[in-house]
Each structure stands twice: as structure tokens, then as C-alpha cells.
Amino acid sequence: MSQNITVLDVAREAGVSASTVSRYLTGVTSVSKIKQEAIARAIELLDFTPNVLAQSLKSGSTKTIGIVTQALESPFFGEELKGVEQAIAGTGYALLIVSGHWQAREEKDHAELLIARRVDGIIIFTSTASDKQIQSLSRQVPMVVTGRRMDMPRAVGLAVDNEQAAFEATQYLLEQGHRRIAHISGRVGQPDTEARLQGYKRALKTAGIKPDAKLIAGGDFSEAGGMLAINQLLEARGSFTAIFAANDQSALGARLGLYRRGIRVPEDLSLIGFDDLLLANYMLPPLTTIRQPTFELGKLAGQTLLNMLAGKTETVVQPQFELVVRESVRRA
Amino acid sequence: MSQNITVLDVAREAGVSASTVSRYLTGVTSVSKIKQEAIARAIELLDFTPNVLAQSLKSGSTKTIGIVTQALESPFFGEELKGVEQAIAGTGYALLIVSGHWQAREEKDHAELLIARRVDGIIIFTSTASDKQIQSLSRQVPMVVTGRRMDMPRAVGLAVDNEQAAFEATQYLLEQGHRRIAHISGRVGQPDTEARLQGYKRALKTAGIKPDAKLIAGGDFSEAGGMLAINQLLEARGSFTAIFAANDQSALGARLGLYRRGIRVPEDLSLIGFDDLLLANYMLPPLTTIRQPTFELGKLAGQTLLNMLAGKTETVVQPQFELVVRESVRRA
DNA sequence: TTGAAAGCGTTACCAG
DNA sequence: CTGGTAACGCTTTCAA
């Protein structure tokens, strides 16, 4: 119960002044060997830990990074979180984490809560806010958002090229001979949802195929949404031989829907996802998907923010996607 | 860039003293209508936000709860996290989250980091520490741990009855006519791993069956571990008709291993899991499992800690498990 | 190299 | 109901 041991206590114990203890702690000025040892002993003896609050109050920096995720339980954001964690490991920073629950309003309120708590910077995973709103927030604190691209002094956005990735996913299906390709889209209103939809359409058009509204079902990046979407698609009776799902979770939901109807993957229908969650490896059959380097994305976000905080203005590196071929797609 | 507006600035603007502004803010004593309005106007005008750091320094409370999870990306701990989040919603508390990565040493270091940051309480998910170590930490700050049971004034442990749950899972398999039942165990050294193993053995013994070491494979609660374990089990050639996996993630890994060998579930082999992750619903076939109310567990942990912090000593409620029958088990 | 003193922004006590 | 003052625990001038 080492409560409220202060530098003053240590100073008394060591027979020096509080200032000297502070100097010993910060290491900013040199302290004589003798006193160093005395202080070290006193600290040991009293089991002293500096009060971070007082330090922060003085310095103005809390050594804390705020994170706004959209779902604490999401495997996708979880990986991203892990990436940030790795980026800040050993830097003395800690993570204050809140969830926006995909609600723009809640996201904003929680970001402001983080600011009120004086975090040094904020990372928002797949922000639901507009670029303008993010810029506005960034006047108060440096920001990094993922899921879209952006590059300003105090607000950077990190994302794979969603449009191009979706284009290549669809193109892969096309190359395998599929002509009737359905799409389960992401959460409406999100920039990445829109970009993936556009990429899908562009690939189709490039192949001389007119996108068919009956082959596009609205999902929301969740398993349940994927299942709903596949049912919709199947009931609309626009025949198709392949599906491009906006993310792996949707694909998983769709997979169950197909299983329920006895439709085999990939024998009867090919399926491609997006993200490459750990889960994709364990689907039956393992899912062919567009790999988003989720962990690295989080790590990059953390490093980028750290750079901003350190005043370094390195050029922003954007993460790259990659097609991962497994077993859920077959030639038409 | 509303930087460093203080109560003093507000006081000046409103023509009152800093104390009065403070009183207005805390609402602890009444302030005259006139001044209230003046202060409100000044706050609005200056866009003032009280500095939480200074408040915390003064009050000694940071209104922050520290969480030690074992894996930020885990769907299980993610649900638990979400539960805690819900429990603290609207209370003004925030979450400082760190990971112990299943390493006792790291867990301890990170818990101490949280203490150094003056969190008001700590929740550890599935702690790798001994009861004694947890009690020791709890001298510095109230603690709640999940994954085991414990009930002391400043340290409570919340968990389903793992032994009994495993007993009932195994018994269910027995009731379905299975006699040769394999077990994929959890991470070695964890109390819940041990409890589940014991429950499994007890059910077997109760049915007059001698536990067979060849039918027990070591996992680690991960998908990869489950896959490794099933391979081991299959290669040991101790024939069996059912598997009880220590958690759903292991079950998922095992499922892929079985798929690779063309072993059908449940036609050739029955499979039962533990946890009831969202994922269990989406496995092929949907997984029969022991439901741990993970979200509620987190919520309960949050509420329990909140009670402790408020000085309330309500009796600790322990979470209950439940068998969820889906489609991965069939009569032998 | 060291100590004294001021200050970070807030709140609580004490007079009035 | 209100203002002044001290104090939370630390760091950083400023002198010595």
C-alpha cells in the first residue's frame, strides 16, 4: 500500500532536495555519484513511483494515445489494435481505447472524450466521419485514421487502395471464367464500402459486362449481414457463379447461407473475400481473399502517429493489398 | 486550438473567482443564478474544458480502469472487453488497455504500468498469475480477474464453473452414446485448462470409463493449436468418435484438420466446443458448445469493479454456463 | 552540482 | 453565497 510517497519523501530519506531527486529521475542534469546512490537507495527503500499525473500536468503530455475503434469484439479491428500495440511497445505510451459503434455521433463524442483526457494523439479505425470533420478534430490533436487515404500535416489517412483491390478481386474471378459475379457490399456510407463497390463495377465494365443491380446486395461487414445478403441474392434469382464479398466476415455469413441451401463452395459457387482475417484460413474451404495487412496497418498507424508526435515529417507510407489464393474459387 | 484555458480565465471573463467557477463545475455548493449564467457564458465563449489531469491530481482518482487482456485480437477477449465497455458506459470511466500476451511476467509488468498510471482499478482477463500474486497486487488497487473464482475484499475472481461445465459437455457426448471421447486441452498452466480437463475426466469416470492418455492432446486455446492437436490425436491411432475441445477456437482448428482428412462432422466424428463465440454459429456445421456468457462476464467484471470502487460490498454473482446444442454432435 | 521557489490547473478549506 | 489561499506531486528556472 505504498501510497503517496513523493519526491519529497525520497529527498528527505536521501538527504537531498526534491529538485535533485527530480533531476535524478529525469536525468536531464548530472547529479553527483554519491547523491545518485543515496537517492537510488531511498527510492528502493520507500518503493517510490513517480506520480504520472503530476508529471503530465507539468509537462502537458500524457504519453497516451487514444484509439477509437468501431467494435471492440471485431477480429479485424482487434488485429489493427494489436498492430498499434506493437508500434508503441517500449515507447512509454499507453492506449486509451473507446468504441464508436459505427455511429458518427458516438465516434465524435468519444474522440472528444479522448481529447478531454488530454491524449497526445488519436487513431480512428475506419472512421465514419467525413474528411472535413477529421481535419477539424485534428486542430486539437494529431490524428491518424485508417480505411481511407489522406495526407495533411496533422491528419493522415492510411488504407490500401480499396478500389484497385476490389478491381483485382473481381478481375481474378473474371479470369477464372466467371461472368455473372455477385457482390455483397459493406456498410453503407463508408468510403471503403463505396471504393470496393466501384472497383467491382470497373472490373466488370472493363470486361464488357454491365453491372446488374440484382447481383448487388447490401451487407454491413458483419457475418449476419453476409448471411442476409446471400439470401437476398439467391431469392432475387439473378443467377451467378461467383461472389465477391466486401469482407471476410460477410463471406463467412454467406458461406453458412450457402451451406444451408446445400450449395457447395467452390463446386457450385466461387467465393472471394476481403481482409484475410485469421478466420479465412479456417473456413471450409479456406477462403481466397484480398489480403489487407491489418496488423501492419495498425502498426503503421501507430508509427505514423508517433512520428507526428515527435515532430518528424517522414513521408507517409500506404499499406499494400495482395491477392491470397486458397480454395474457395474454381474455374467456371 | 483552445489550449490552456483555465478556470482562472473563465473566472476573469465572468467576473468571479476561480473558486466559484470550480463550484459551478462540481455543483457541490450552490452558486447564485446571476453568476451561474455569467460563468456559463464565459465557458461557452472561451470554449473551456476542465483539465482532467489537474482534477485527477487533486482528487487522486483518474476515473480510469485498467484492463489486462491476453490478446487484443482475440474474439473471446474482445467480447469480454465489450462487456466491460457496456458496464462503464455513462459512468465517466475510461479504459486503459494493455496485453499480457499470456506471459506471466509481461502481465505483471503491464499491471504495474497501469498502477503507475494511477488507474482506479484493474480487470485481468484470464490471468496467468497465481491467486497469491493477484492478492498481492490487490493491495495497491482493487482487482477483478476472470477465468477463475475468488472472493476477497479487494480481489474477486469471476468465472463459470469450468469443471462442472466440462463435466456436462462430456456427459452430453456420453449420453449420445459416445464412449471413446478425445479432449483437446487448453493452454497449459491455466486454471481453467486444468478445470476443464478434470471435468472431462470426472464425466468419463462417472460413466465407468478410464481416461486414456492417448485421447488427450495439448492445445493452447488457439486455432493453430487445435489443428495440431487433432493431427496428434489422429496419428496416435487411439480411435474415438467424439472430441471435446477446450474452447471454440481449438474446435475450429480441429475442424479444418478433419476436413483435410475427409473426416465428416458429425457423420464420422462429433465435436463439441466451449465458449460459444459468434464464430460457433458460422462453423460448418454450426458448433454444439458450452456457452460462456462472455459478454456478460465482461459486464459483470466491470460492474463488480465499479461496486468495489464505490465501496459497495454486494455479494459477488458468478456467471453461469449453458449447453448450446447445434449440429456438430450426433448419436454414436 | 545543488537548493529554493514558482508554477502546471484544479479543488477544498476557511473566513466573511 | 463568495473570494483568498493552500495543496495535490512534479519539474524547471534562477541563484548560488
Side-chain angles (χ1 to χ4, degrees), chain A residues 17 19-20 23 30-32 35 58:
Chain A
S17 76
S19 329
T20 304
R23 279 189 279 260
S30 44
V31 175
S32 70
K35 304 212 165 179
K58 191 94 241 270

Side-chain angles (χ1 to χ4, degrees), chain B residues 101-114:
Chain B
H101 298 116
W102 292 109
Q103 307 291 318
R105 180 53 195 270
E106 198 168 344
E107 177 181 318
K108 180 160 180 288
D109 289 349
H110 282 185
E112 278 168 358
L113 183 146
L114 292 175

Side-chain angles (χ1 to χ4, degrees), chain A residues 78-100:
Chain A
E79 273 299 322
E80 235 177 304
L81 216 43
K82 195 178 162 196
V84 178
E85 180 202 16
Q86 174 153 119
I88 64 158
T91 62
Y93 278 88
L95 262 25
L96 206 50
I97 305 178
V98 299
S99 171

Side-chain angles (χ1 to χ4, degrees), chain B residues 298-315:
Chain B
K299 193 167 163 183
L300 204 53
Q303 289 167 336
T304 304
L305 186 57
L306 249 24
N307 279 339
M308 291 163 82
L309 293 177
K312 292 186 214 157
T313 47
E314 317 212 346
T315 54

Side-chain angles (χ1 to χ4, degrees), chain A residues 118, chain B residues 2-10 46-51:
Chain A
R118 300 306 206 255
Chain B
S2 69
Q3 61 178 5
N4 300 344
I5 309 273
T6 76
V7 278
L8 212 82
D9 298 314
V10 175
L46 300 173
D47 191 20
F48 163 78
T49 327
N51 186 324

